[in-house]
Amino acid sequence: MRLRKIVLTFSLMAALAAPALAQVKFERKIQEGTSRNSELITRVEQKLTIAGMETETESDSRITVKTTTGKRDESGNIRVQEKIIGMMLTSKIQGTEYTFDSSNPDKTSGSALEMMRPLHKLMSGRTTTTVFDKENKVAQVEFENDPLNGLSEDLRKLVKDEFDVEKIKKTANEEIDRIPAEAVKKGDAWERTAKRNLGAGQILTATTRYTYEGEIEKDGKKLDKISSKVLSVDLTLEDSPLPLTIKSTDLKPTESKGELLFDRKLGATVSGSSSVRIVGDITFVINNMELPSKLDLKMDSSSQPKE
C-alpha cells in the first residue's frame, strides 16, 4: 500500500511539473556587430468589381536586404541599418505589364505604370536606419536621404504614407509584438490586431490568431514554430489621395495560413510566411454616388535568410 502511495504521489508531481517544463519563453535579442542578407518575396492578386466593371491586377516583388547591426551606446540604444541591394518588381493590370529590375533600372516597359519607375529607382538603393531602445522596441526610424525627393507632386501624394516614419515605427513594433513576452507551451494561442499600409491611404486592419506548435528541427537547428490564421479584416481609407471614400465593408478572410520560425539561441524570428485571401463587399462613394463593389484579394508573402 505504501509503495502504491509513493507511485501515485510521484505520478501526481510529474503531471503538475510537466506543463512548467514544457513552457518556453521567446527572449528577443539583437546581435551586435553582425551583418546578414534576407529576401522578401510577395505576391498580390486582386479582382475588384465596381458597379459591374471588373479590374484584375497582379504584382510580384523580390527584394534583397542587407542588414548591418552596430553596438549599443551608453543609453542602451542600438542602430540597425537596412539597405536594399536588389529589387525585382512585376505588375500586371488589364493585360499590360510593368517591370522593374534594379540591375537595369532604366529599362522601360511601355506600361501605364511607368509613372512608378522614379520611385522604384529611389527605393532600390534606399538605406533605412532603425534605432532600437534598451527594451528592443523601435524608438526611431531614419532615412539616409529624403525618400520622396525628386518625385512628382502626384506621386508624392500617392506614396507618402509608405514613408511616414511614425507609421513605419508603429508597424515595426506591431510585428515585434506578434511574439508574446510571456512564457507559452505547445498549443497556447494568442491574438493580435495590426494595421497594414496598402498604399494611397488604404489601411487593412487584421486580427490574427497565433498558436505555438512546439519545437522543430530545420537545417540542423532547433527552432520554435508558430502558426497563424487571420480571423477578421477591415479596409479603410485614411488621408487618401484617391478620389473616393469607403462607406461600408463586409470583408472576410476565406483562406488563411502562416508560419513563423523563432531561433531562441539568436533571439529572433529567422523566417516567416503568410497567405490570406479576402473576399467580400465594399461600398465606395464617388461624387456623392454610392458604388456597390466586390473585392477578391489574395496576398502571399515570405521572408527568409539569403546567402
Side-chain angles (χ1 to χ4, degrees):
M1 179 66 70
R2 183 179 179 185
L3 178 60
R4 182 179 178 187
K5 287 183 178 180
I6 291 175
V7 171
L8 288 172
T9 302
F10 180 79
S11 298
L12 180 60
M13 290 175 62
L16 292 172
L21 292 174
Q23 285 189 326
V24 300
K25 191 168 185 179
F26 305 116
E27 182 183 357
R28 190 168 180 274
K29 307 170 188 175
I30 298 179
Q31 304 292 329
E32 297 182 41
T34 60
S35 180
R36 60 182 174 83
N37 291 345
S38 59
E39 189 172 60
L40 312 175
I41 302 172
T42 62
R43 176 169 176 78
V44 177
E45 301 174 37
Q46 177 180 286
K47 183 185 295 184
L48 180 61
T49 306
I50 301 179
M53 296 184 62
E54 182 179 284
T55 302
E56 292 190 31
T57 58
E58 297 178 21
S59 66
D60 292 274
S61 69
R62 185 181 295 268
I63 300 174
T64 303
V65 179
K66 180 178 182 179
T67 302
T68 305
T69 305
K71 300 283 187 178
R72 288 194 186 272
D73 60 24
E74 294 180 355
S75 63
N77 291 346
I78 187 168
R79 299 171 70 85
V80 178
Q81 187 183 80
E82 292 183 325
K83 182 178 179 61
I84 296 177
I85 58 176
M87 189 163 75
M88 172 69 80
L89 308 175
T90 303
S91 297
K92 297 179 182 178
I93 178 169
Q94 297 299 87
T96 65
E97 182 173 299
Y98 166 81
T99 60
F100 177 85
D101 185 348
S102 59
S103 65
N104 189 4
D106 293 314
K107 182 180 179 181
T108 60
S109 60
S111 167
L113 295 175
E114 279 295 328
M115 63 174 290
M116 304 298 292
R117 188 168 299 276
L119 171 66
H120 295 148
K121 289 174 70 173
L122 286 173
M123 288 178 60
S124 63
R126 190 186 72 194
T127 297
T128 305
T129 299
T130 303
V131 181
F132 293 88
D133 61 21
K134 60 184 179 181
E135 303 298 330
N136 291 334
K137 292 296 184 70
V138 177
Q140 193 172 344
V141 176
E142 303 169 355
F143 295 115
E144 186 178 39
N145 299 300
D146 179 1
L148 301 179
N149 186 40
L151 300 181
S152 67
E153 186 62 25
D154 288 343
L155 190 52
R156 289 173 68 95
K157 289 179 180 178
L158 195 64
V159 301
K160 63 182 178 65
D161 279 355
E162 298 176 48
F163 299 95
D164 185 309
V165 294
E166 290 303 316
K167 292 181 179 180
I168 293 173
K169 185 170 71 173
K170 182 179 179 181
T171 298
N173 280 321
E174 286 178 342
E175 290 186 359
I176 291 171
D177 289 340
R178 293 181 301 176
I179 306 296
E182 64 276 8
V184 298
K185 62 181 183 297
K186 185 176 180 179
D188 280 352
W190 59 96
E191 294 180 12
R192 298 286 188 269
T193 298
K195 292 185 177 183
R196 177 175 176 178
N197 186 352
L198 301 181
Q202 301 172 93
I203 304 297
L204 183 69
T205 302
T207 297
T208 304
R209 176 183 292 134
Y210 297 90
T211 303
Y212 177 51
E213 304 290 354
E215 193 175 64
I216 66 169
E217 186 167 327
K218 183 178 180 181
D219 299 329
K221 296 180 180 180
K222 290 186 177 180
L223 304 172
D224 292 293
K225 179 180 176 180
I226 299 170
S227 64
S228 65
K229 181 178 181 180
V230 178
L231 303 179
S232 64
V233 294
D234 188 28
L235 181 67
T236 56
L237 291 176
E238 298 181 8
D239 189 25
S240 174
L242 299 177
L244 50 79
T245 59
I246 294 178
K247 179 181 179 180
S248 62
T249 66
D250 183 14
L251 303 174
K252 292 180 175 57
T254 58
E255 302 171 17
S256 174
K257 63 178 180 179
E259 176 184 282
L260 298 173
L261 294 181
F262 190 90
D263 187 328
R264 268 181 274 161
K265 185 176 180 180
L266 291 178
T269 301
V270 294
S271 68
S273 64
S274 67
S275 177
V276 61
R277 183 180 182 186
I278 299 167
V279 177
D281 299 321
I282 304 176
T283 299
F284 292 110
V285 177
I286 302 178
N287 296 328
N288 296 319
M289 181 182 299
E290 293 186 9
L291 299 176
S293 308
K294 292 188 177 295
L295 176 68
D296 188 340
L297 175 65
K298 177 80 182 297
M299 298 185 293
D300 298 301
S301 64
S302 67
S303 172
Q304 56 194 6
K306 182 177 176 63
E307 298 298 331

